[in-house]
Amino acid sequence: MKLIIAEKPSLARNIVGAIGNMRFRDGYYENNEYFVTYAFGHLFSLCDIEDYTGPTKSGKWSMENIPCFPEEFKFSLKKGLNKEVDSGVLKQFKTIEALCNNPKVDEIVNAGDADREGEIIVRLCIRYALKTKKKLTRLWLPDQTIETINEGLKDLLDDNNYDNLANEGFARTYIDWLYGVNLTRYATLKTGTLLRVGRVIVPIVKAIYDRDMAITNFVSEKYFSISSKEQTKGEDVELNSTVKFKYEDLSKCDEMCQKYNACKAIVTSKKVKKDTLSAGKLYSLSKLQNVLGKKYKMPMEESLNIVQKLYEAGYVTYPRTNSEYLATAEKGKIKQIIDIIAKIGYPIKFKDNKTIFDDSKIESHSALTPTYKIPKKESLSEMEMKVYQTIFRRFVAVFCSNDCIVNKSELKIKVGDFEEFNLKGTIMLEPGWTKYDDYSSKDKALPNLNKGDEVNILFKPKEKETTPPKHYTIETLNNYLKNPFKDDKKKTDDSDDDDYKAMFEGLELGTEATRTGIIDNAKNSNYIALKKDVYTILPNGIYLIEQLMQMGISMDKYKTATIGQALKKVFHNEIAVIDSVKLAEKEISDIFTNKNLPIEEEIDTGLYKDVIGKCPLCNNDVVKGRYNYGCMGYKSGCKFKINFVICKRIISINNAKMLLSTGETSKIKGFVSKNNKPFDAKLKLQDGQIVFDFS
């Protein structure tokens, strides 16, 4: 008999429905050919630090057992809030264990979700349950329809075909644990505030922090450009120059206008052609979330939950995909889906081209599409139907048999030898696929001019003002995380080759499977806020980033991408899991050893509540607080403190101690003046005040 272990009860039910004639037992199903059981997602989690090191002397978090780098990572059954293994988890694992070792079972089928996480969830169940060697196979399901499940059961592959995927999944799990438990404890012990530090959450919060700081610190500047809007042959012709002038250079701007107006403006070129406007690409998860966020102000976690539910109901394909393309091997299946959709009245036909089918742009999963199963209106909630229709209508648009035909026109107008203006216009002739998918019509008719015509001009100064960057939205943050090294200002062709190259090399921040949950964690930790579809930094997020910077923890996109690249090398079997883990360990170790610097370069600020000396004003203890080294006599009115950062330079705990004990620090390197000039100096106590000493 075959034992199928599904990742979740919902998938087990769908598999049972496809097999048919199975009886439900306590925690599993059976017939004469199959047992089907399930996990509840993660039944196992990595052990905590104390499982490797034993308890600390205080029984609380302490520097004495971090950083912790296990020689071998251990897992245990998930525990509840009471630190005991959850009774439901234990009961279900015992069921899995009994079935794995049932003598009737000669083959165990891994039916985790079709991704790295699903792969290791079931592998861990088998690793800790199975006592003897048995055949292990994989049920890989791009969707959960009866047809696909039955096809998958006929085509089971050895589970070792997915070893690279599992290795990447384990490496990612180990590395995220190393960063999370070590640096969260380190940052919390140093600040006295629980700071959740993770390999991906920090660069996400940092991106929003950097953008919001740029907006806060932005100083608007006025300037002038020149433009003309005059009638020729009864039609307005607007020409906006790219030339800019400083606000104080209005006279130069006027002079340039006179030079332009003294010339003739001639139409040097006219092009008009009919063209076919292509539909957008099929959706990856993040591109779908972008659209839903922009159109319905739908948070990412809500859209993922809904599309996951649609997947589990068999209405759409696997949601956590990073591709907008289909595999060439799927052409037969797509033809069948198109036939079903055509029968319900949509003008749709199969198309075979590289903008739809491209194996080179698929890592594990194809784009999101509808399946053979079409939901009835009453079977879905209003929001579920909106999400389904968004996926469905894009599919119809891509395979629509009616082309969208437009008239594209282009005029070039040259003003003397100064500047050539390029005007473009588009008029829709036949709507085609735009009847079925969202399309923002930008119809713009150009003036009816011909080559050689003279255009009336009157250029005038036009006052303008620089604008600050815009806050991140669901769409722009998603785009940044998919390719954080892309130059947004660089306008190239419509090719997405660079984005897929970055994704396949591991340069993205997070993955389609994890990104939504990490952003949700950042929101729940009150680091960031989402209002409608706009992200902003919160005070807790500012504190997190600025405290990490003071600790020398620079978990920026560059370091995160370095680990991401290593994980991709694990996936491609170019390096071993341990190699990627050692890379992370070195990064973490460097953070813990940053205090071994010459005193003039130190940045270590010690641990929360460390006593550093006596107050020069009231003789009470001065201790490290959350924001500064402060006097404990503050309740009696003493205001003495030493800021952690003075003139953009971190004041180490050793220098602070020296200041209190001797009245001055050593020479400290790296201060920055208000004029952004670097300087070195000692700090000195003078009548209870801290002053610079340049002697």
Side-chain angles (χ1 to χ4, degrees):
M1 290 181 70
K2 293 179 181 176
L3 166 62
I4 301 173
I5 305 177
E7 182 175 329
K8 287 177 274 196
S10 59
L11 176 56
R13 288 193 293 271
N14 287 339
I15 292 171
V16 167
I19 294 171
N21 298 317
M22 298 197 76
R23 298 174 296 280
F24 179 68
R25 305 299 188 195
D26 189 8
Y28 68 98
Y29 304 82
E30 71 169 317
N31 63 13
N32 294 329
E33 189 177 354
Y34 293 100
F35 290 115
V36 178
T37 189
Y38 45 84
F40 303 127
H42 289 279
L43 290 186
F44 288 85
S45 60
L46 281 165
C47 293
D48 213 338
I49 286 178
E50 283 70 29
D51 294 307
Y52 299 102
T53 67
T56 60
K57 293 174 184 176
S58 65
K60 299 177 181 179
W61 285 3
S62 166
M63 291 293 291
E64 69 189 64
N65 62 355
I66 58 172
C68 176
F69 302 139
E71 289 185 16
E72 181 182 352
F73 287 89
K74 301 173 186 176
F75 291 85
S76 62
L77 287 170
K78 288 186 77 172
K79 297 175 182 176
L81 295 175
N82 60 357
K83 302 296 183 181
E84 299 294 329
V85 175
D86 182 270
S87 59
V89 167
L90 180 61
K91 180 182 177 184
Q92 190 59 27
F93 175 69
K94 290 296 182 185
T95 298
I96 294 170
E97 186 177 41
L99 290 169
C100 281
N101 296 293
N102 188 319
K104 293 181 182 178
V105 172
D106 52 18
E107 181 178 339
I108 301 174
V109 182
N110 179 340
D113 272 356
D115 60 15
R116 61 180 68 82
E117 193 173 11
E119 182 65 33
I120 68 173
I121 282 173
V122 177
R123 283 196 180 211
L124 284 170
C125 291
I126 297 170
R127 177 193 293 183
Y128 287 96
L130 186 60
K131 308 302 181 189
T132 57
K133 193 172 182 180
K134 294 189 179 183
K135 183 179 181 181
L136 303 178
T137 54
R138 183 64 155 104
L139 177 60
W140 188 266
L141 297 175
D143 65 62
Q144 293 189 22
T145 59
I146 290 174
E147 294 87 345
T148 299
I149 292 170
N150 283 324
E151 287 171 16
L153 289 171
K154 293 174 186 174
D155 190 27
L156 297 172
L157 296 176
D158 283 345
D159 201 27
N160 59 21
N161 284 285
Y162 299 89
D163 282 352
N164 288 350
L165 185 71
N167 287 339
E168 186 196 351
F170 281 119
R172 190 178 294 274
T173 302
Y174 301 155
I175 288 171
D176 287 346
W177 182 92
L178 286 170
Y179 277 102
V181 300
N182 284 304
L183 297 186
T184 294
R185 292 189 183 204
Y186 181 69
T188 300
L189 288 168
K190 288 180 75 67
T191 62
T193 303
L194 176 60
L195 296 181
R196 291 183 173 86
V197 183
R199 184 179 64 87
V200 179
I201 191 173
V202 170
I204 288 175
V205 176
K206 179 73 160 56
I208 297 168
Y209 168 89
D210 287 344
R211 178 62 59 86
D212 283 20
M213 290 302 106
I215 293 168
T216 300
N217 298 326
F218 182 81
V219 179
S220 181
E221 293 182 0
K222 293 182 178 180
Y223 67 96
F224 287 102
S225 67
I226 64 174
S227 65
S228 169
K229 187 176 182 180
E230 296 294 303
Q231 284 199 342
T232 301
K233 295 185 177 180
E235 295 184 84
D236 286 337
V237 181
E238 185 172 2
L239 305 176
N240 294 307
S241 174
T242 58
V243 180
K244 295 179 182 178
F245 296 87
K246 293 181 179 179
Y247 193 69
E248 61 268 23
D249 290 339
L250 178 57
S251 59
K252 292 181 181 179
C253 184
D254 281 327
E255 187 180 331
M256 184 59 73
C257 289
Q258 292 173 23
K259 289 180 179 179
Y260 272 51
N261 294 333
C263 300
K264 288 187 176 181
I266 305 295
V267 178
T268 57
S269 170
K270 180 179 182 179
K271 294 178 183 177
V272 180
K273 68 171 183 176
K274 278 187 180 181
D275 202 358
T276 301
L277 193 66
S278 298
K281 295 187 181 73
L282 296 168
Y283 287 123
S284 65
L285 174 61
S286 57
K287 289 299 175 70
L288 175 67
Q289 289 175 315
N290 289 352
V291 170
L292 296 172
K294 195 171 185 178
K295 187 175 181 180
Y296 300 117
K297 312 305 178 193
M298 189 181 293
M300 289 172 63
E301 65 271 19
E302 182 182 352
S303 56
L304 176 57
N305 289 340
I306 291 175
V307 75
Q308 177 72 22
K309 188 174 179 181
L310 294 172
Y311 162 69
E312 292 174 2
Y315 298 131
V316 301
T317 54
Y318 184 71
R320 291 173 173 84
T321 174
N322 54 16
S323 182
E324 300 162 274
Y325 295 84
L326 299 173
T328 53
E330 296 177 295
K331 290 178 182 177
K333 182 183 81 170
I334 295 300
K335 287 177 182 176
Q336 293 175 21
I337 295 171
I338 286 171
D339 288 343
I340 291 169
I341 294 174
K343 286 176 183 176
I344 59 176
Y346 289 90
I348 187 171
K349 69 177 182 181
F350 180 75
K351 297 176 183 178
D352 188 356
N353 59 59
K354 196 80 169 176
T355 61
I356 303 172
F357 296 93
D358 189 346
D359 292 340
S360 71
K361 291 178 179 173
I362 299 172
E363 188 175 45
S364 298
H365 294 283
S366 297
L368 262 164
T369 70
T371 65
Y372 312 99
K373 189 177 178 183
I374 309 294
K376 295 178 181 177
K377 189 174 182 180
E378 60 272 14
S379 64
L380 298 179
S381 69
E382 180 184 357
M383 292 311 294
E384 288 166 354
M385 184 56 78
K386 284 179 177 178
V387 174
Y388 177 79
Q389 281 294 324
T390 302
I391 299 168
F392 180 87
R393 289 163 70 88
R394 175 56 59 90
F395 185 85
V396 170
V398 168
F399 290 102
C400 187
S401 55
N402 300 330
D403 289 334
C404 174
I405 308 298
V406 296
N407 236 1
K408 287 187 174 180
S409 54
E410 183 178 5
L411 280 176
K412 290 185 178 180
I413 301 171
K414 192 169 185 183
V415 178
D417 292 325
F418 288 106
E419 192 171 352
E420 188 170 62
F421 296 85
N422 200 6
L423 308 183
K424 293 183 179 181
T426 301
I427 299 295
M428 185 176 291
L429 302 177
E430 297 176 28
W433 59 263
T434 63
K435 292 170 65 177
Y436 306 99
D437 195 21
D438 290 336
Y439 173 70
S440 177
S441 178
K442 296 178 181 177
D443 281 7
K444 181 181 179 182
L446 293 186
N448 186 22
L449 301 174
N450 295 303
K451 185 177 179 180
D453 285 350
E454 184 174 347
V455 179
N456 295 324
I457 57 172
L458 180 58
F459 281 92
K460 300 175 183 177
K462 188 172 185 179
E463 184 178 313
K464 293 186 176 181
E465 194 171 358
T466 56
T467 56
K470 293 183 178 178
H471 290 286
Y472 275 114
T473 64
I474 290 175
E475 179 179 15
T476 56
L477 182 64
N478 248 339
N479 292 341
Y480 168 78
L481 299 177
K482 283 178 73 71
N483 189 354
F485 302 96
K486 186 176 184 178
D487 185 355
D488 292 331
K489 296 178 182 178
K490 186 178 178 183
K491 300 296 181 184
T492 58
D493 54 26
D494 293 330
S495 171
D496 54 15
D497 290 347
D498 287 346
D499 287 342
Y500 280 89
K501 184 172 182 285
M503 191 166 59
F504 293 157
E505 288 180 357
L507 296 178
E508 59 182 340
L509 300 181
T511 66
E512 301 287 336
T514 63
R515 201 173 288 134
T516 298
I518 293 168
I519 292 174
D520 198 31
N521 284 341
K523 286 166 52 187
N524 291 338
S525 300
N526 289 319
Y527 294 151
I528 60 173
L530 177 65
K531 188 173 183 180
K532 294 188 176 178
D533 71 331
V534 174
Y535 289 107
T536 53
I537 197 75
L538 293 175
N540 285 357
I542 294 172
Y543 184 77
L544 169 74
I545 298 303
E546 293 183 351
Q547 289 300 309
L548 292 181
M549 288 193 289
Q550 288 179 25
M551 291 178 229
I553 300 178
S554 176
M555 294 179 65
D556 56 22
K557 65 182 182 182
Y558 299 98
K559 290 190 176 180
T560 302
T562 299
I563 298 296
Q565 287 176 302
L567 290 169
K568 286 301 176 189
K569 288 180 180 178
V570 172
F571 176 71
H572 294 298
N573 203 26
E574 295 171 7
I575 63 173
V577 172
I578 189 64
D579 297 326
S580 65
V581 170
K582 289 298 181 186
L583 183 65
E585 287 179 357
K586 184 182 183 306
E587 292 277 359
I588 295 164
S589 183
D590 287 346
I591 291 168
F592 278 80
T593 57
N594 69 15
K595 51 183 173 291
N596 297 328
L597 296 169
I599 191 165
E600 66 267 21
E601 297 177 15
E602 280 187 4
I603 59 172
D604 180 44
T605 56
L607 301 180
Y608 180 63
K609 290 190 176 179
D610 276 351
V611 177
I612 67 167
K614 293 295 183 179
C615 176
L617 299 180
C618 69
N619 207 39
N620 273 296
D621 285 340
V622 176
V623 302
K624 178 180 176 178
R626 289 189 172 91
Y627 300 95
N628 51 54
Y629 307 106
C631 176
M632 293 302 289
Y634 69 91
K635 292 180 180 178
S636 304
C638 184
K639 296 182 179 179
F640 179 80
K641 64 182 180 181
I642 306 170
N643 289 329
F644 290 149
V645 179
I646 297 175
C647 287
K648 301 184 181 179
R649 177 62 167 88
I650 297 169
I651 308 304
S652 72
I653 191 168
N654 284 335
N655 270 307
K657 286 178 177 179
M658 190 183 301
L659 179 64
L660 294 179
S661 63
T662 69
E664 65 178 17
T665 67
S666 62
K667 183 175 73 172
I668 300 174
K669 293 182 177 180
F671 291 111
V672 180
S673 72
K674 291 181 180 178
N675 297 324
N676 284 323
K677 291 183 178 180
F679 66 95
D680 303 336
K682 293 181 179 181
L683 296 179
K684 191 172 183 178
L685 281 176
Q686 188 172 299
D687 299 326
Q689 301 296 313
I690 301 170
V691 298
F692 288 112
D693 179 3
F694 297 97
S695 61

